[in-house]
Coordinates of all heavy atoms in Angstrom, one line a residue:
A7 N 0.8 -1.2 0.0 CA 0.0 0.0 0.0 C 0.8 1.3 0.0 O 0.4 2.3 -0.5 CB -1.0 0.0 1.2
R8 N 2.1 1.2 0.5 CA 2.9 2.4 0.6 C 4.3 2.1 0.8 O 4.7 0.9 1.0 CB 2.3 3.5 1.6 CG 2.5 3.1 3.0 CD 2.1 4.2 3.9 NE 2.3 3.8 5.2 CZ 1.6 4.4 6.3 NH1 0.8 5.3 6.1 NH2 1.9 4.0 7.5
G9 N 5.2 3.1 0.8 CA 6.6 2.8 1.1 C 7.3 2.0 0.0 O 7.0 2.1 -1.2
I10 N 8.2 1.1 0.4 CA 9.0 0.3 -0.5 C 8.1 -0.7 -1.2 O 8.3 -1.0 -2.4 CB 10.1 -0.5 0.3 CG1 11.1 0.4 0.9 CG2 10.7 -1.6 -0.5 CD1 12.1 -0.1 1.9
G11 N 7.0 -1.2 -0.6 CA 6.1 -2.1 -1.3 C 5.4 -1.4 -2.4 O 5.4 -2.0 -3.5
A12 N 4.9 -0.2 -2.2 CA 4.3 0.5 -3.3 C 5.2 0.9 -4.4 O 4.9 0.8 -5.7 CB 3.6 1.8 -2.8
A13 N 6.4 1.3 -4.0 CA 7.5 1.6 -5.1 C 7.8 0.4 -5.8 O 8.1 0.4 -7.1 CB 8.7 2.1 -4.3
T14 N 7.8 -0.8 -5.2 CA 8.1 -2.0 -5.9 C 7.0 -2.4 -6.9 O 7.3 -2.8 -8.0 CB 8.3 -3.2 -4.9 OG1 9.4 -2.9 -4.0 CG2 8.6 -4.5 -5.6
V15 N 5.8 -2.2 -6.5 CA 4.7 -2.4 -7.4 C 4.8 -1.5 -8.6 O 4.6 -2.0 -9.7 CB 3.3 -2.2 -6.7 CG1 2.1 -2.3 -7.7 CG2 3.1 -3.2 -5.6
R16 N 5.0 -0.3 -8.4 CA 5.1 0.7 -9.5 C 6.3 0.3 -10.5 O 6.1 0.3 -11.7 CB 5.3 2.1 -9.0 CG 4.1 2.6 -8.3 CD 4.4 4.1 -7.8 NE 3.1 4.6 -7.2 CZ 3.0 4.7 -5.9 NH1 4.0 4.3 -5.1 NH2 1.9 5.1 -5.3
A17 N 7.4 -0.1 -9.9 CA 8.6 -0.5 -10.8 C 8.3 -1.8 -11.6 O 8.6 -1.8 -12.7 CB 9.8 -0.7 -9.9
L18 N 7.6 -2.7 -10.9 CA 7.3 -3.9 -11.6 C 6.2 -3.6 -12.7 O 6.4 -4.2 -13.8 CB 6.7 -5.0 -10.6 CG 7.7 -5.6 -9.7 CD1 7.0 -6.4 -8.6 CD2 8.7 -6.5 -10.5
C19 N 5.3 -2.8 -12.4 CA 4.3 -2.4 -13.5 C 5.0 -1.7 -14.7 O 4.6 -2.0 -15.8 CB 3.1 -1.6 -12.9 SG 2.0 -2.5 -11.9
D20 N 5.9 -0.9 -14.3 CA 6.6 -0.2 -15.4 C 7.4 -1.2 -16.3 O 7.7 -0.9 -17.5 CB 7.6 0.8 -14.8 CG 6.9 2.0 -14.3 OD1 5.7 2.2 -14.5 OD2 7.6 2.8 -13.5
R21 N 7.8 -2.4 -15.7 CA 8.5 -3.3 -16.5 C 7.6 -4.3 -17.2 O 8.0 -5.3 -17.7 CB 9.5 -4.0 -15.6 CG 10.6 -3.0 -15.1 CD 11.8 -3.6 -14.5 NE 12.5 -4.4 -15.4 CZ 13.5 -4.0 -16.3 NH1 13.8 -2.7 -16.3 NH2 14.2 -4.8 -17.0
G22 N 6.3 -4.1 -17.0 CA 5.4 -5.0 -17.8 C 4.7 -6.1 -16.9 O 4.0 -6.9 -17.3
Y23 N 5.1 -6.2 -15.6 CA 4.5 -7.2 -14.7 C 3.1 -6.9 -14.5 O 2.6 -5.8 -14.5 CB 5.2 -7.2 -13.4 CG 6.5 -8.0 -13.3 CD1 7.6 -7.6 -13.9 CD2 6.5 -9.2 -12.6 CE1 8.8 -8.3 -13.8 CE2 7.7 -10.0 -12.6 CZ 8.8 -9.5 -13.1 OH 10.0 -10.2 -13.1
R24 N 2.3 -8.0 -14.1 CA 1.0 -7.8 -13.5 C 1.3 -8.2 -12.0 O 2.1 -9.1 -11.7 CB 0.0 -8.7 -14.1 CG -0.3 -8.2 -15.5 CD -1.0 -9.2 -16.4 NE 0.0 -10.3 -16.7 CZ -0.4 -11.5 -17.2 NH1 -1.6 -11.7 -17.5 NH2 0.5 -12.4 -17.4
V25 N 0.6 -7.5 -11.1 CA 1.0 -7.6 -9.7 C -0.3 -7.8 -8.8 O -1.3 -7.1 -8.9 CB 1.7 -6.3 -9.2 CG1 2.1 -6.4 -7.7 CG2 3.0 -6.0 -10.1
V26 N -0.1 -8.8 -7.9 CA -1.1 -8.9 -6.8 C -0.5 -8.1 -5.7 O 0.6 -8.5 -5.1 CB -1.3 -10.4 -6.4 CG1 -2.2 -10.5 -5.2 CG2 -1.9 -11.2 -7.6
A27 N -1.1 -7.0 -5.3 CA -0.6 -6.0 -4.3 C -1.4 -6.4 -3.0 O -2.6 -6.2 -2.9 CB -0.9 -4.7 -4.7
V28 N -0.6 -6.8 -2.0 CA -1.2 -7.3 -0.7 C -0.7 -6.4 0.4 O 0.4 -6.0 0.5 CB -0.8 -8.7 -0.5 CG1 -1.3 -9.2 0.9 CG2 -1.2 -9.7 -1.5
D29 N -1.7 -6.0 1.2 CA -1.4 -5.2 2.4 C -2.5 -5.4 3.5 O -3.6 -5.7 3.1 CB -1.4 -3.7 2.1 CG -0.5 -2.9 3.1 OD1 -1.0 -2.8 4.3 OD2 0.6 -2.5 2.8
C30 N -2.1 -5.4 4.7 CA -3.1 -5.6 5.8 C -4.0 -4.4 6.0 O -5.1 -4.6 6.5 CB -2.4 -6.1 7.1 SG -1.5 -4.7 7.9
C31 N -3.6 -3.3 5.5 CA -4.4 -2.1 5.6 C -4.8 -1.8 7.0 O -6.0 -1.4 7.3 CB -5.6 -2.1 4.6 SG -5.0 -2.1 2.9
A32 N -4.0 -2.1 8.0 CA -4.4 -1.9 9.4 C -4.5 -0.4 9.8 O -5.0 -0.1 10.9 CB -3.4 -2.6 10.3
G33 N -4.1 0.5 8.9 CA -4.3 1.9 9.3 C -5.8 2.2 9.5 O -6.1 3.2 10.1
D34 N -6.7 1.5 8.9 CA -8.1 1.7 9.1 C -8.6 1.2 10.4 O -9.7 1.4 10.8 CB -8.9 1.1 7.9 CG -8.6 1.8 6.6 OD1 -8.1 2.9 6.6 OD2 -8.8 1.2 5.5
V35 N -7.8 0.4 11.1 CA -8.1 -0.3 12.3 C -7.0 0.1 13.4 O -6.1 -0.7 13.5 CB -8.3 -1.8 12.2 CG1 -8.8 -2.4 13.5 CG2 -9.2 -2.1 11.1
P36 N -7.1 1.3 14.0 CA -6.1 1.7 15.0 C -5.8 0.6 16.1 O -6.8 -0.1 16.5 CB -6.6 2.9 15.6 CG -7.6 3.5 14.6 CD -8.2 2.2 14.0
G37 N -4.5 0.4 16.4 CA -4.2 -0.6 17.5 C -4.2 -2.0 17.0 O -4.1 -2.9 17.9
D38 N -4.4 -2.3 15.7 CA -4.4 -3.7 15.3 C -3.1 -4.5 15.4 O -3.1 -5.6 15.7 CB -4.8 -3.7 13.8 CG -5.0 -5.2 13.3 OD1 -5.8 -5.9 14.0 OD2 -4.5 -5.5 12.2
L39 N -2.0 -3.7 15.4 CA -0.7 -4.3 15.6 C -0.1 -3.8 16.9 O 0.4 -2.7 17.0 CB 0.2 -4.1 14.4 CG -0.2 -4.6 13.1 CD1 0.7 -4.2 12.0 CD2 -0.2 -6.2 13.1

């Protein structure tokens, strides 16, 4: 969803990859971790 993971997704897409982008998205649930 952000940071190095998002940069990696963008770089792979630029090289023609299709990507399954996975994130826990815990920002929507404070205190989850």
Side-chain angles (χ1 to χ4, degrees):
R8 68 177 182 201
I10 292 170
T14 300
V15 171
R16 289 181 183 104
L18 289 168
C19 286
D20 288 347
R21 296 192 65 84
Y23 275 76
R24 292 165 293 168
V25 179
V26 176
V28 175
D29 202 289
C30 71
C31 297
D34 293 338
V35 183
D38 186 48
L39 294 174

